[in-house]
Amino acid sequence: MAPKNRIIIDTDPGVDDVLAMLLAFAAKAEDLEVMLVSITFGNVDVKSCLRNVVAIFHILEKELKWRKENGKPLGFDGITQFKPIVAIGADEPLQDRIESADYFHGVDGLAGTHTTHPHFSPEESWKTLFEEPPPDSFLTETAKEETDLEEPTKTFIPSLVPAHKEILRLLRENEPNTITLISIGPLTNFALAAAEDPETFLRCKEVISMGGTVDGIGNVTPVAEFNVYADPYAAARVYALSSPIPSSTMPIANAGSRSVDLPAYPPRLSKQLNLKLMSLDITESHMLSRGAFTAYASDLAKQGSPLAQWVTAFMDPMLDKMERLHIGHEGEGAALALHDPLCIWYVLTQDDSRWKPSARSPEDIRVETAGQWTRGMTVGDKRSRKRRNSDGEVPHDRGNWLGNKSGNRIYRMLESPGPDAAAPYLLNAIFGP
């Protein structure tokens, strides 16, 4: 029987990205299949992001071996029942300068654990999996599989195809409306895929994107959330696909900046993108505290669980950082927002009626790409006015915000099964009851 949900995760790990992927891989086979992990720049450079993804598979291999030896349920159907593809994507934004979050996540994206805990990192030989073999290579495919290239090759399929092309291939080869695209990093890979073949991109069931803030404040500038800020041009292009007329909200080029020349979308497309936004407006209230994390992971780490030891190695310094940076984050109360895991949690529990978008949904939310102080701002139309009967009515509404056909149509999620329910769900899935 096919899984209830089939997903592609586009990611730039990042601590909370890793937690999100662990939650996805821990889901039961009948509930979720991760078909592809596509890598983008973001929290750190794309090569570091790739190493962090490979490290997840490396640790989970060790964890499954440990659980088997100790008579514990294996779990992690996401890698024992399926074998996800891993593909490398964009290494820079479509426009303007690269911005990273290594100041928060650490230079390696995982609080420096590759340096402080090198025994948790995969051997360097994994890099050859993502390199073209020399033309005169005498190794057959079977011989390559038999070379000692570390454990991760058992649990994922390395791809030499750019991530956005792998996304399009999977969407093309599967029935429409059966694959959910989840973005927990900058939207660059999705924007590239949509630009190359918008109709194939729209074969997805929906896009769930962690990014933006409309009613709240930003986490990288006063008005911008990091994932959108890192590539606002890409976010604007993806958001535009939710409009009946994508050209009505397409971004303008930032004069004088580096820019990738992508084609405009056709005047009409066969459907609108179903886009659900997990913005800071909802994610900031869903926290994982030091007390909750320790209650699950501490004893397992002492027992020898590689997974518990590894996650503790990057969670402890991250929680220490939260304690230093934020008032009210002292001791056991120090907490990390579960920004990215919320996207996976939603997919797994979306039948729960407590998930609700904003009352204004679908909202016309657009991305600022050219502002001096507002780069990456997600601008929502909060006016309590009805949409116009035609696009010809322009008085008092610059930018066609109130048009029946113009403007984006985005579902910004604002309510979940409960802010206090997210962390226990995550921890129970990853570490067991």
Side-chain angles (χ1 to χ4, degrees):
M1 184 176 69
K4 184 177 179 181
N5 299 285
R6 306 170 81 203
I7 67 172
I8 290 172
I9 300 177
D10 193 72
T11 179
D12 62 334
V15 170
D16 55 326
D17 300 71
V18 169
L19 295 177
M21 282 185 280
L22 288 173
L23 177 57
F25 293 142
K28 294 183 183 301
E30 59 265 30
D31 293 330
L32 188 68
E33 176 188 0
V34 181
M35 304 180 73
L36 168 68
V37 176
S38 60
I39 316 297
T40 179
F41 77 97
N43 287 319
V44 287
D45 65 276
V46 73
K47 291 182 179 178
S48 295
C49 290
L50 176 61
R51 177 170 64 167
N52 293 341
V53 168
V54 174
I56 295 174
F57 292 98
H58 175 72
I59 292 295
L60 288 181
E61 280 278 334
K62 292 181 179 295
E63 176 71 9
L64 290 170
K65 181 180 178 182
W66 178 81
R67 290 186 181 188
K68 185 176 181 180
E69 290 173 348
N70 288 271
K72 297 180 180 294
L74 295 182
F76 289 100
D77 288 2
I79 64 169
T80 58
Q81 304 299 314
F82 306 108
K83 198 170 182 179
I85 300 167
V86 174
I88 307 170
D91 59 2
E92 59 183 349
L94 297 180
Q95 179 178 283
D96 215 345
R97 62 194 182 274
I98 296 177
E99 300 283 350
S100 70
D102 55 3
Y103 58 87
F104 182 74
H105 290 270
V107 293
D108 64 354
L110 292 179
T113 54
H114 290 292
T115 301
T116 60
H117 298 74
H119 56 291
F120 288 140
S121 300
E123 297 293 335
E124 291 296 295
S125 55
W126 66 265
K127 293 180 180 178
T128 62
L129 299 169
F130 294 92
E131 297 172 355
E132 290 280 2
D136 58 348
S137 174
F138 60 86
L139 285 177
T140 64
E141 290 301 316
T142 302
K144 289 177 188 176
E145 292 176 3
E146 291 174 352
T147 56
D148 185 14
L149 288 174
E150 273 293 304
E151 296 165 348
T153 54
K154 299 176 183 176
T155 49
F156 73 85
I157 301 170
S159 173
L160 299 179
V161 177
H164 75 278
K165 292 185 179 293
E166 283 285 17
I167 292 168
L168 290 173
R169 180 184 66 80
L170 289 171
L171 291 172
R172 195 176 292 119
E173 292 177 359
N174 288 273
E175 290 295 318
N177 304 312
T178 59
I179 298 176
T180 294
L181 303 181
I182 299 178
S183 170
I184 51 178
L187 280 158
T188 316
N189 286 334
F190 286 1
L192 289 169
E196 182 170 314
D197 190 343
E199 287 294 351
T200 295
F201 187 79
L202 289 172
R203 288 170 64 93
C204 71
K205 179 180 177 182
E206 61 185 349
V207 167
I208 301 172
S209 176
M210 191 280 124
T213 180
V214 175
D215 295 329
I217 59 175
N219 63 359
V220 66
T221 74
V223 296
E225 177 276 331
F226 175 78
N227 286 341
V228 177
Y229 181 82
D231 196 345
Y233 195 76
R237 285 189 63 102
V238 173
Y239 286 21
L241 289 171
S242 71
S243 172
I245 305 177
S247 61
S248 67
T249 65
M250 282 286 280
I252 60 172
N254 193 351
S257 70
R258 184 199 65 81
S259 181
V260 176
D261 186 20
L262 296 180
Y265 296 133
R268 289 288 188 274
L269 292 165
S270 61
K271 59 181 285 193
Q272 295 166 233
L273 180 66
N274 182 3
L275 176 57
K276 291 188 172 68
L277 194 64
M278 292 291 180
S279 65
L280 297 183
D281 302 307
I282 184 172
T283 64
E284 286 281 13
S285 62
H286 293 71
M287 309 291 287
L288 172 57
S289 70
R290 189 195 303 275
F293 175 74
T294 301
Y296 270 84
S298 180
D299 285 346
L300 285 171
K302 291 175 183 177
Q303 293 173 34
S305 162
L307 179 61
Q309 292 174 351
W310 181 60
V311 177
T312 299
F314 60 74
M315 280 296 294
D316 278 352
M318 292 303 295
L319 290 168
D320 289 343
K321 182 173 291 187
M322 296 302 295
E323 189 169 0
R324 292 194 303 271
L325 292 176
H326 298 281
I327 298 172
H329 279 251
E330 289 79 27
E332 297 294 284
L336 187 72
L338 296 173
H339 302 296
D340 297 336
L342 235 63
C343 295
I344 308 298
W345 188 35
Y346 171 76
V347 170
L348 291 169
T349 62
Q350 60 190 291
D351 292 338
D352 192 317
S353 62
R354 290 173 291 180
W355 283 107
K356 294 178 182 177
S358 72
R360 299 192 298 271
S361 289
E363 296 178 77
D364 190 352
I365 300 174
R366 308 185 191 183
V367 179
E368 179 58 69
T369 60
Q372 180 179 2
W373 308 116
T374 55
R375 164 181 167 152
M377 180 180 183
T378 40
V379 183
D381 188 351
K382 303 176 184 179
R383 296 172 293 179
S384 57
R385 295 167 61 186
K386 294 182 178 179
R387 292 190 178 277
R388 302 191 313 270
N389 290 329
S390 76
D391 290 333
E393 299 178 26
V394 296
H396 313 297
D397 183 49
R398 301 292 180 181
N400 283 325
W401 287 82
L402 295 173
N404 274 355
K405 295 182 179 179
S406 59
N408 295 330
R409 306 287 192 271
I410 295 173
Y411 293 86
R412 180 170 58 103
M413 305 307 294
L414 277 189
E415 296 182 35
S416 75
D420 295 335
Y425 188 100
L426 171 79
L427 294 168
N428 186 68
I430 294 175
F431 297 119

